[in-house]
Amino acid sequence: MAFTNTISIASFDCIAPVRLSEHQIEITVGWRTDALDTRYIQGKVSDAEYAAALASIDAWAEAQHSLIGAKA
């Protein structure tokens, strides 16, 4: 399912090939969630797209935390 004006998980991995700190992960999650919330409130994202995007953000964060051995 394609999302309008989103950045894929793969894009983040390419932007930050080094391991992020726990703080950097949380900042990125916050930024992505805020951007998603804004699009949802504006009616640009359906309920299903919103849920899928949140799951994607969570999966990315879990993967990043596992790289540094931290718990999400």
Side-chain angles (χ1 to χ4, degrees), residues 14-63:
C14 293
I15 291 169
V18 296
R19 289 192 173 116
L20 300 176
S21 70
E22 188 169 354
H23 179 71
Q24 290 170 317
I25 294 166
E26 296 307 316
I27 293 296
T28 302
V29 166
W31 176 83
R32 291 180 72 191
T33 303
D34 288 348
L36 175 62
D37 288 347
T38 298
R39 290 192 320 275
Y40 182 72
I41 290 167
Q42 293 172 343
K44 296 178 180 179
V45 178
S46 71
D47 291 346
E49 290 172 322
Y50 183 81
L54 279 180
S56 174
I57 292 168
D58 186 52
W60 178 85
E62 290 289 334

